Amino acid sequence: MVHTITFLPHNREIQVNDGEKLIRAAMDAGVHINASCGGEGVCGKCRVIIEAGTVEGGLSEQVSPEDRDKGVRLACRSTVTGDVTVRVPVESTIDASVLRQSYVPRRTARIQQKDLNDLKEAGLFLPPVEKIYIELPKPDNQDHLPDVTRLVSHLKLHHDEHRMTVSLPVIRKIPDVLREAEFRVTATMARPIIETGKTEIINVQPGDTTDYNYGIAMDIGTTTIYGQLIDLKTGEVLSDHGEFNGQISYGEDVISRIVFAEKGDGLDRLQRVVANTINTIINKIIKRAKVDPDNISAITLAGNTTMTQLFLKVNPRYIRRAPYVPASTLYPPIRAKDLGLDVEDHVTALVYPAVSSYVGGDIVAGVMGSGLYLDEPLTLFMDIGTNAEIVIGNRDWLACAACSAGPAFEGGGIKFGMRAAKGAIEDFSLDPVTWEPMLMTIGNVRPKGICGSGLIIMTAVMFELGLINNLGKFNRDLATDRLREDEGVWEYVLAWAEETQIDRDITLTEIDIENLIRAKGAIYSGCMTLLAEVGMGMQDIERIILAGGFGSYVDLEKAMTIGLLPEIDPEKVTFIGNSSLMGAKMSSLTNRIRRDVGEVTRSMTSFELSETPSYMDNYIAALFLPHTDLDQFPRLKARLANRSSKVN
Amino acid sequence: MVHTITFLPHNREIQVNDGEKLIRAAMDAGVHINASCGGEGVCGKCRVIIEAGTVEGGLSEQVSPEDRDKGVRLACRSTVTGDVTVRVPVESTIDASVLRQSYVPRRTARIQQKDLNDLKEAGLFLPPVEKIYIELPKPDNQDHLPDVTRLVSHLKLHHDEHRMTVSLPVIRKIPDVLREAEFRVTATMARPIIETGKTEIINVQPGDTTDYNYGIAMDIGTTTIYGQLIDLKTGEVLSDHGEFNGQISYGEDVISRIVFAEKGDGLDRLQRVVANTINTIINKIIKRAKVDPDNISAITLAGNTTMTQLFLKVNPRYIRRAPYVPASTLYPPIRAKDLGLDVEDHVTALVYPAVSSYVGGDIVAGVMGSGLYLDEPLTLFMDIGTNAEIVIGNRDWLACAACSAGPAFEGGGIKFGMRAAKGAIEDFSLDPVTWEPMLMTIGNVRPKGICGSGLIIMTAVMFELGLINNLGKFNRDLATDRLREDEGVWEYVLAWAEETQIDRDITLTEIDIENLIRAKGAIYSGCMTLLAEVGMGMQDIERIILAGGFGSYVDLEKAMTIGLLPEIDPEKVTFIGNSSLMGAKMSSLTNRIRRDVGEVTRSMTSFELSETPSYMDNYIAALFLPHTDLDQFPRLKARLANRSSKVN
């Protein structure tokens, strides 16, 4: 059920779902309400007056009985249960311009998840594994056909199958399975990747099991590994599970893992450990979906280049040594059991190819799974993290690069930075007169720190309202005690110690902002450099696809305001989530991707940014908010001009 | 050096090599000299007189000084060192016809061993594995090609190689090998079997190893396993070795092995045991030829259907149960290490396909390796043993069958039968007047028993001279104490107890002859049945290829006399030895065989003789010497008519 909320004196309306918190509705409506406690209801600052309709809750000891009767409620404790009109008390000193402040609701990227039907509609469905039920004539004195020949001949004659091979483990099973099942069996046919290839009969099961045909998709992340169990008939994800990559005990990042792998039996150990994590996930998703492991026909895995080489026990030694070359980009299909995976003999593991040492199979999986490589619009594909990978192109060409953004987007190098977990400030609004903040935290609890998406929003808001300038420096003339200098570093107090979970003031420092600017500058200049190398510019980008955990939370408008993303209609930005897992899933569903991936990988031009001369110039030009060239951000430019004209 | 020996009064000349024993020369010349001791020189019966020239040795205490001066020597102890004229004393009672006895020297089959040059001349040479030495550019800041891509691209550009795959174990090696060898390496290219297939890079080695490229051929026999190490560049066999199949401890024949395999972990154990024997052989031939195991590129194995299934750990349970179907005939290439073979990771095992449960890969190997499937003449291919396999056909069609001949050819079921080992009577002549024998044993020692080839010769000679009739029964009217009845069974004394190693009279019994007739009848009628099924007869056979140990010893004329082989010019009979090993070797040398073998196996019509109605009639007709239809043996018929006219 949807309710309409009207905020006064702004006279701004917003539709929200039943049960939404009033303060969230205000934030989404672009209505500022002072609130430093993240929505936990302790600061008592978010007082509003219900003028029509009712809300549920919203009371505390900070609201006196008289105020209650006047309709006063705490916005952070009020739950919307019907249409309501809410007045936000604005301090008398406030300029009316606040009320006219442009209304920019928080916009995150649309979710783009392709499924089996999309593939079928697009003509991209080539089943990788099919099951066929057959009833064979039994051998007798007049018919001595060997068992395998009997099976293969029948498939040729009655099912128009040709060019089949049968692997030894299946040959070993066939004689007993045929007789056990009175010669009524189901053959699992793994289709060739190239058209001229052979269909491999990978399993023969007693009776009719054609309804049970499953695949596993696995994302081997440096930190976390995710797996999905997929029904190959429907494309449905039957179960999924994630676990920390067991290799974490041997190093948090890829470099430390590589170093470990170089010593003694380090490589063997890391391979075993990651296989163990994968096996834990496989066992959980199989158990949860209650499927027979014998009906699992394939497993597709994707990961960055180092994770892929470690999993395949290919020493990643040269990935971290100039000139940084991986062993291989393409890997042949491999018997999953040979990799230590806890699946039946017949299961083949397909591992996504990489493009280079730093643009790995996870990115290729995203390019393939999103269908970007088949589409017309010029697309910018980004996976933003400590190492950000960028792909630009369309069905005609593809270029890619990786750039080291640093850990700012994950809260690293930020004084009160933290991962996107409970207590992280994830949304922010600023009163442009009093410079009081409005904070929202994950889980609506008192703040503990700042996560990456919150950092972007704060910086964007502060920049647009003039609290910081285009160099990321605070306007030191402003009259607020929230701005202060601490040990020579200027900072803004987001929450006072008593409003936090950590009993210290939580601040945003100029160093934090500088780190963010460096991070976004590295990425933006990476894109510009890639585009320049192919004779194009940011204005040519027609679509953005965001991958990775970060992409799902980022406020698109704010990311454009700080110059992380080029200015583009937010409608044209989509989010594919875990690209690695998504690509692995799509590969499980159609051979078309496996057929195309080799060619796509080969044709993807990989740029080593550090060796591309224009990169450093582009980087320095990007170390501003949003950029030295404001004309690249015409909408922002217009808003800034508008604000400036009002202020003056 | 060759010497001419003239035998008197026969006035028959023969050329023999320097160092030959005189008695062997006489046997080969068709000159009968009484001799029961097998050539050991103890019976003193083989007295001859040297009339011109000299021989070395030939003296013993049985030759008095006076006799010595007259030129008397023992033929079995005399070594030919120059031209010599020898008079054989003939007893006065002997009819002059003995001297006119038709001169039929012992004729064994010509050896047919194809080699690399034959393949090249016939246009059948398609190298299965080639090595290419390459010098790669090193990666640098401008060239980040991944290692595998670098290798593959170079092969494409500079060596006209296309459609390559690289397996994971090789990918694992490449980074270190490239750097260790300064990017100068040798790639081992395994060529596709079908033209549309891919070349697999199975190994990459530092430096230039193109001169070292080896293959292994292996015959997995029920009793014995033989291996050869082959230089793939020259086709030369560098070393070879045979060992008893370790499975013998679990049963002597295929049926007992199958029974063992059905119980508990019997199959696993038999697989391990045969792999162990093969490993012993591999290690010996590698060591003997002093080659680096890393330069071994392939292994090809052939064996009968049961041996093949046991080696591949495919339960052979249904081979011994009606309707006797094997699991498969064709097997895919298999990583040798997965089969427990002691070779490098990159070595692929190719296993010869079978046609049916009783016509196995050993026979197919013979058909392929001999080139029979490519030739014009209608050929009869036989591997004679307890189970005899027969293939008839040419490049247009092929039919095959197996028949159970019983163990007579290996000395089984024969009162004094033995394998072809030292002391076995292997050659025989008979004085048609005195009915005294002339025996030659393997190793020229006193006789211990009768081997298969000796049995055939005895039976043929006795039949042709009339000691036995066409039913294999002795002419009981003959005046010789060598013919006697013992416990109701008639027998001929080949050697008296004191002349033997076993201190018992060695005899040939009517039961022995009956067993031989059954054995040869089974085979001959098998051939007739096969031919009749395709509308042909024995007279259409243009060529015979004999395989197996037995074929190398058999006296062709005698085998035709008893009706084991059809009458054909002995020049048209060739012997290929161990067909299994030979075919495996040829497959190591050219892909043409591997390319053709699937089609050949499929097109080979397999007849189950026991279920072919005409077989029993043909069998009964063949239970005579040589056959009820003597017209099938025109040359023998003429000789018998000639003899009969003289006798009368």
Side-chain angles (χ1 to χ4, degrees):
Chain A
M1 211 169 30
V2 169
H3 310 299
T4 301
I5 303 174
T6 310
F7 288 102
L8 300 175
H10 319 67
N11 209 22
R12 199 171 289 159
E13 280 186 11
I14 189 167
Q15 314 283 324
V16 302
N17 288 324
D18 191 69
E20 183 68 275
K21 289 278 181 234
L22 199 53
I23 197 163
R24 179 83 253 169
M27 183 65 99
D28 288 350
V31 168
H32 179 88
I33 300 172
N34 288 343
S36 316
C37 67
E40 195 177 298
V42 291
C43 68
K45 287 184 188 155
C46 58
R47 295 161 73 99
V48 294
I49 301 152
I50 308 299
E51 296 203 338
T54 54
V55 293
E56 215 175 87
L59 296 171
S60 84
E61 55 194 18
Q62 290 157 325
V63 181
S64 67
E66 301 84 53
D67 281 353
R68 186 190 60 199
D69 294 345
K70 286 185 199 149
V72 170
R73 297 291 184 277
L74 293 182
C76 69
R77 295 205 151 190
S78 306
T79 302
V80 178
T81 55
D83 291 351
V84 66
T85 301
V86 181
R87 177 166 299 272
V88 180
V90 263
E91 292 165 43
S92 54
T93 54
I94 287 186
D95 190 291
S97 69
V98 175
L99 304 183
R100 288 197 304 275
Q101 194 189 333
S102 65
Y103 165 47
V104 187
R106 185 176 180 187
R107 293 278 292 274
T108 54
R110 286 178 306 127
I111 291 172
Q112 181 209 30
Q113 279 285 8
K114 303 214 171 194
D115 65 15
L116 198 56
N117 284 333
D118 295 326
L119 290 172
K120 284 180 178 166
E121 276 164 26
L124 302 179
F125 179 60
L126 292 170
V129 191
E130 288 177 295
K131 284 188 163 191
I132 302 176
Y133 172 65
I134 43 184
E135 303 189 351
L136 298 172
K138 294 183 191 175
D140 59 32
N141 286 344
Q142 304 309 312
D143 171 5
H144 299 88
L145 274 187
D147 294 337
V148 173
T149 314
R150 177 173 309 276
L151 182 78
V152 167
S153 307
H154 188 89
L155 286 164
K156 275 185 188 166
L157 269 172
H158 301 287
H159 295 273
D160 200 30
E161 293 286 342
H162 299 282
R163 300 175 59 74
M164 285 167 276
T165 64
V166 191
S167 68
L168 186 58
V170 180
I171 293 176
R172 287 179 179 149
K173 283 179 77 171
I174 287 177
D176 285 334
V177 169
L178 290 188
R179 284 162 186 85
E180 170 195 333
E182 296 274 318
F183 289 81
R184 296 167 181 212
V185 295
T186 300
T188 308
M189 319 288 283
R191 299 303 181 190
I193 297 177
I194 51 165
E195 263 173 276
T196 55
K198 289 183 174 181
T199 290
E200 190 181 339
I201 302 176
I202 59 166
N203 202 7
V204 171
Q205 300 173 305
D208 184 352
T209 66
T210 49
D211 280 342
Y212 312 102
N213 193 14
Y214 309 110
I216 291 174
M218 194 72 58
D219 155 44
I220 311 176
T222 309
T223 307
T224 321
I225 301 183
Y226 292 101
Q228 289 180 335
L229 186 79
I230 300 151
D231 186 328
L232 298 182
K233 257 192 125 174
T234 62
E236 212 185 321
V237 174
L238 300 181
S239 59
D240 56 9
H241 184 68
E243 288 271 338
F244 281 115
N245 185 336
Q247 292 177 343
I248 281 183
S249 332
Y250 304 94
E252 285 213 4
D253 54 23
V254 296
I255 297 300
S256 52
R257 306 266 175 93
I258 294 175
V259 170
F260 187 85
E262 291 183 54
K263 288 183 251 163
D265 69 340
L267 178 59
D268 283 5
R269 197 180 313 176
L270 290 184
Q271 203 283 336
R272 274 201 309 277
V273 162
V274 72
N276 283 347
T277 303
I278 293 172
N279 286 337
T280 303
I281 296 171
I282 290 175
N283 291 326
K284 285 221 167 120
I285 57 180
I286 286 177
K287 206 170 165 190
R288 205 168 292 163
K290 297 192 179 71
V291 302
D292 178 351
D294 196 46
N295 287 320
I296 291 177
S297 301
I299 179 166
T300 311
L301 307 102
N304 65 45
T305 308
T306 301
M307 286 306 110
T308 301
Q309 289 198 197
L310 288 176
F311 171 60
L312 296 175
K313 214 193 281 185
V314 176
N315 202 314
R317 180 192 309 268
Y318 305 105
I319 289 182
R320 74 174 187 102
R321 284 183 168 77
Y324 314 110
V325 299
S328 186
T329 53
L330 210 56
Y331 292 93
I334 302 152
R335 207 171 72 111
K337 220 160 192 175
D338 286 344
L339 296 168
L341 298 192
D342 202 1
V343 290
E344 299 291 307
D345 260 353
H346 64 263
V347 179
T348 293
L350 290 162
V351 179
Y352 256 104
V355 175
S356 67
S357 278
Y358 292 103
V359 177
D362 47 349
I363 301 306
V364 174
V367 170
M368 302 308 293
S370 67
L372 140 63
Y373 78 104
L374 289 166
D375 291 346
E376 182 82 48
L378 186 67
T379 304
L380 168 61
F381 176 101
M382 300 171 97
D383 190 338
I384 296 173
T386 305
N387 286 297
E389 292 94 357
I390 306 164
V391 182
I392 296 179
N394 60 10
R395 66 184 181 198
D396 298 322
W397 59 273
L398 289 164
C400 65
C403 48
S404 179
F409 296 119
E410 284 157 8
I414 305 300
K415 190 169 180 184
F416 289 93
M418 64 181 285
R419 286 186 181 263
K422 206 167 177 183
I425 302 171
E426 53 140 4
D427 217 338
F428 177 83
S429 165
L430 189 64
D431 186 312
V433 176
T434 63
W435 305 109
E436 281 301 298
M438 172 183 185
L439 307 180
M440 299 286 294
T441 58
I442 297 176
N444 293 328
V445 295
R446 277 184 289 171
K448 273 167 86 176
I450 309 165
C451 69
S453 55
L455 179 65
I456 289 172
I457 293 175
M458 276 170 212
T459 306
V461 167
M462 289 175 178
F463 169 60
E464 199 160 344
L465 295 183
L467 183 62
I468 55 175
N469 64 14
N470 66 356
L471 292 167
K473 303 297 176 200
F474 288 108
N475 183 343
R476 287 148 203 204
D477 305 332
L478 295 178
T480 167
D481 57 357
R482 287 191 180 261
L483 262 189
R484 68 186 188 196
E485 195 178 3
D486 183 34
E487 295 184 357
V489 178
W490 280 79
E491 59 184 19
Y492 172 89
V493 181
L494 292 159
W496 302 107
E498 63 272 20
E499 298 165 338
T500 72
Q501 288 188 54
I502 59 174
D503 298 327
R504 287 159 63 204
D505 295 350
I506 293 177
T507 65
L508 178 73
T509 72
E510 281 188 352
I511 294 174
D512 297 341
I513 297 171
E514 197 179 312
N515 282 336
L516 175 66
I517 290 176
R518 286 215 185 111
K520 73 92 192 171
I523 292 173
Y524 193 84
S525 56
C527 297
M528 282 196 70
T529 307
L530 267 192
L531 283 161
E533 290 288 322
V534 294
M536 301 184 117
M538 280 296 198
Q539 70 286 351
D540 297 310
I541 297 288
E542 297 171 84
R543 185 173 68 161
I544 295 177
I545 296 176
L546 297 176
F550 183 78
S552 67
Y553 293 105
V554 71
D555 181 323
L556 295 178
E557 291 282 359
K558 302 293 191 290
M560 292 173 200
T561 299
I562 66 161
L564 168 61
L565 297 180
E567 257 193 13
I568 189 173
D569 177 359
E571 281 298 319
K572 294 187 172 159
V573 184
T574 55
F575 171 61
I576 58 168
N578 183 330
S579 67
S580 193
L581 192 59
M582 194 264 261
K585 176 188 158 196
M586 297 315 278
S587 274
S588 303
L589 293 177
T590 178
N591 257 2
R592 175 60 189 265
I593 290 179
R594 292 162 59 197
R595 190 170 291 181
D596 294 344
V597 73
E599 183 54 32
V600 169
T601 312
R602 268 190 296 278
S603 68
M604 240 161 129
T605 315
S606 172
F607 288 92
E608 193 66 35
L609 292 177
S610 60
E611 283 150 22
T612 310
S614 60
Y615 179 64
M616 196 41 73
D617 296 340
N618 283 324
Y619 176 61
I620 288 165
L623 292 181
F624 290 82
L625 293 174
H627 195 270
T628 42
D629 178 14
L630 191 56
D631 288 331
Q632 290 191 25
F633 298 83
R635 294 206 311 265
L636 174 63
K637 189 180 178 183
R639 291 204 304 277
L640 291 178
N642 188 34
R643 178 170 70 91
S644 153
S645 70
K646 276 179 213 146
V647 171
N648 299 338
Chain B
M1 210 167 35
V2 169
H3 309 296
T4 302
I5 303 173
T6 310
F7 289 102
L8 300 175
H10 319 67
N11 210 21
R12 197 171 291 156
E13 279 185 10
I14 190 168
Q15 313 283 324
V16 300
N17 288 322
D18 189 71
E20 181 68 276
K21 288 279 182 228
L22 199 55
I23 198 164
R24 177 84 255 168
M27 182 66 97
D28 289 349
V31 168
H32 179 88
I33 300 175
N34 289 342
S36 316
C37 68
E40 195 177 298
V42 292
C43 70
K45 285 184 189 159
C46 59
R47 295 160 73 99
V48 294
I49 301 152
I50 307 301
E51 294 205 337
T54 54
V55 293
E56 216 176 85
L59 298 173
S60 86
E61 56 193 17
Q62 291 158 324
V63 181
S64 67
E66 301 84 55
D67 282 352
R68 185 189 64 199
D69 295 344
K70 285 183 201 154
V72 170
R73 297 289 182 278
L74 293 182
C76 69
R77 297 205 147 188
S78 305
T79 303
V80 177
T81 55
D83 291 353
V84 67
T85 301
V86 181
R87 176 168 298 275
V88 181
V90 264
E91 290 166 46
S92 56
T93 52
I94 286 186
D95 190 291
S97 70
V98 175
L99 304 183
R100 288 194 306 272
Q101 194 187 333
S102 65
Y103 166 48
V104 188
R106 186 177 179 186
R107 292 278 292 273
T108 54
R110 284 178 308 128
I111 292 173
Q112 182 210 28
Q113 278 287 7
K114 301 213 173 198
D115 63 19
L116 198 54
N117 284 331
D118 295 328
L119 290 171
K120 285 181 177 167
E121 276 164 25
L124 302 178
F125 179 59
L126 291 171
V129 192
E130 288 176 294
K131 284 188 163 192
I132 302 178
Y133 172 64
I134 43 183
E135 302 189 351
L136 297 172
K138 294 181 190 175
D140 59 34
N141 287 345
Q142 303 311 313
D143 171 5
H144 298 89
L145 275 187
D147 294 338
V148 173
T149 314
R150 179 173 308 276
L151 183 78
V152 167
S153 306
H154 188 90
L155 286 164
K156 275 186 188 164
L157 270 172
H158 300 287
H159 294 273
D160 200 31
E161 292 287 340
H162 301 282
R163 304 175 58 75
M164 285 166 275
T165 64
V166 191
S167 68
L168 186 58
V170 180
I171 293 175
R172 287 177 179 151
K173 284 179 75 172
I174 287 178
D176 285 334
V177 169
L178 290 190
R179 286 163 185 84
E180 169 194 334
E182 296 275 320
F183 289 81
R184 296 168 180 210
V185 295
T186 301
T188 308
M189 320 288 285
R191 300 302 181 192
I193 296 177
I194 52 165
E195 265 172 275
T196 55
K198 288 184 174 181
T199 289
E200 191 182 339
I201 301 178
I202 58 166
N203 202 6
V204 171
Q205 301 173 302
D208 183 352
T209 66
T210 48
D211 279 343
Y212 313 102
N213 193 15
Y214 310 109
I216 291 174
M218 194 71 60
D219 156 45
I220 311 176
T222 309
T223 307
T224 321
I225 302 182
Y226 291 101
Q228 290 180 334
L229 185 79
I230 300 152
D231 186 327
L232 298 181
K233 257 191 122 173
T234 62
E236 213 185 321
V237 174
L238 300 180
S239 59
D240 57 7
H241 184 70
E243 289 269 339
F244 281 116
N245 185 335
Q247 293 176 342
I248 281 184
S249 331
Y250 304 94
E252 286 215 2
D253 54 24
V254 296
I255 296 301
S256 52
R257 306 265 175 94
I258 294 174
V259 170
F260 187 87
E262 290 183 56
K263 287 184 249 162
D265 68 343
L267 179 58
D268 283 5
R269 196 179 313 178
L270 291 184
Q271 202 282 334
R272 274 201 309 280
V273 161
V274 72
N276 283 346
T277 303
I278 293 172
N279 285 337
T280 303
I281 295 171
I282 289 175
N283 291 327
K284 285 221 168 123
I285 57 180
I286 285 178
K287 207 169 162 189
R288 205 168 290 163
K290 296 192 180 68
V291 302
D292 178 353
D294 196 46
N295 286 319
I296 292 176
S297 302
I299 178 165
T300 311
L301 307 100
N304 65 47
T305 308
T306 301
M307 286 305 110
T308 300
Q309 289 199 197
L310 289 176
F311 171 60
L312 297 176
K313 215 195 278 185
V314 176
N315 202 316
R317 181 192 308 269
Y318 305 105
I319 290 181
R320 76 176 187 101
R321 285 183 167 76
Y324 315 108
V325 298
S328 186
T329 54
L330 211 54
Y331 292 92
I334 302 151
R335 204 170 73 112
K337 220 160 191 174
D338 287 344
L339 296 167
L341 298 193
D342 200 0
V343 289
E344 300 291 308
D345 261 354
H346 65 262
V347 178
T348 293
L350 291 161
V351 179
Y352 255 103
V355 176
S356 67
S357 278
Y358 292 104
V359 177
D362 48 348
I363 300 307
V364 174
V367 169
M368 302 308 290
S370 68
L372 141 61
Y373 78 104
L374 289 166
D375 292 343
E376 181 79 52
L378 185 67
T379 304
L380 168 62
F381 175 102
M382 301 171 96
D383 189 338
I384 297 172
T386 305
N387 286 297
E389 292 93 359
I390 306 164
V391 182
I392 297 178
N394 58 12
R395 67 183 182 200
D396 298 322
W397 60 274
L398 289 163
C400 65
C403 49
S404 180
F409 296 119
E410 286 157 8
I414 306 301
K415 189 170 181 185
F416 289 93
M418 66 181 282
R419 284 186 185 262
K422 205 168 177 181
I425 302 171
E426 53 141 3
D427 215 340
F428 176 83
S429 163
L430 189 64
D431 186 312
V433 176
T434 64
W435 306 108
E436 281 300 298
M438 173 183 182
L439 307 180
M440 300 286 294
T441 59
I442 295 175
N444 292 327
V445 296
R446 276 184 289 173
K448 274 166 83 174
I450 308 167
C451 70
S453 54
L455 179 66
I456 290 172
I457 294 175
M458 275 171 214
T459 307
V461 166
M462 289 177 178
F463 168 59
E464 198 160 344
L465 295 182
L467 183 62
I468 55 176
N469 64 14
N470 65 355
L471 293 166
K473 302 298 178 201
F474 289 107
N475 181 344
R476 288 149 201 202
D477 303 332
L478 295 179
T480 167
D481 55 359
R482 287 189 179 263
L483 262 189
R484 68 187 187 195
E485 195 178 4
D486 182 35
E487 294 182 0
V489 178
W490 279 79
E491 59 185 18
Y492 173 89
V493 182
L494 292 159
W496 303 107
E498 63 272 19
E499 297 163 339
T500 73
Q501 289 188 52
I502 57 173
D503 297 327
R504 287 161 61 206
D505 295 350
I506 295 176
T507 64
L508 177 74
T509 72
E510 280 188 353
I511 293 174
D512 298 340
I513 297 170
E514 197 179 312
N515 281 335
L516 176 67
I517 290 175
R518 284 213 186 112
K520 73 91 191 173
I523 292 172
Y524 192 85
S525 56
C527 297
M528 282 196 70
T529 307
L530 267 192
L531 283 162
E533 289 290 321
V534 293
M536 301 184 117
M538 280 294 197
Q539 71 285 352
D540 296 309
I541 297 288
E542 296 169 83
R543 186 173 68 160
I544 296 176
I545 296 176
L546 297 176
F550 184 77
S552 66
Y553 295 104
V554 71
D555 181 323
L556 296 177
E557 291 282 0
K558 303 291 192 292
M560 294 174 198
T561 299
I562 66 162
L564 167 61
L565 297 181
E567 257 191 16
I568 188 175
D569 176 359
E571 281 298 317
K572 294 187 171 157
V573 184
T574 56
F575 170 61
I576 58 167
N578 183 328
S579 68
S580 194
L581 192 59
M582 197 266 262
K585 176 188 156 196
M586 298 315 281
S587 275
S588 303
L589 294 177
T590 180
N591 256 2
R592 175 60 190 265
I593 289 178
R594 291 162 60 197
R595 189 170 290 181
D596 294 345
V597 73
E599 183 54 33
V600 169
T601 312
R602 269 190 295 279
S603 68
M604 242 161 123
T605 315
S606 172
F607 289 92
E608 194 67 37
L609 291 177
S610 61
E611 283 150 22
T612 309
S614 60
Y615 179 65
M616 197 41 75
D617 295 340
N618 283 325
Y619 176 62
I620 288 166
L623 292 181
F624 290 83
L625 293 173
H627 194 270
T628 42
D629 178 13
L630 191 55
D631 288 330
Q632 291 192 24
F633 298 80
R635 294 206 310 264
L636 173 64
K637 187 179 179 186
R639 292 204 303 277
L640 292 177
N642 188 32
R643 179 170 72 89
S644 153
S645 71
K646 276 180 212 150
V647 172
N648 297 339

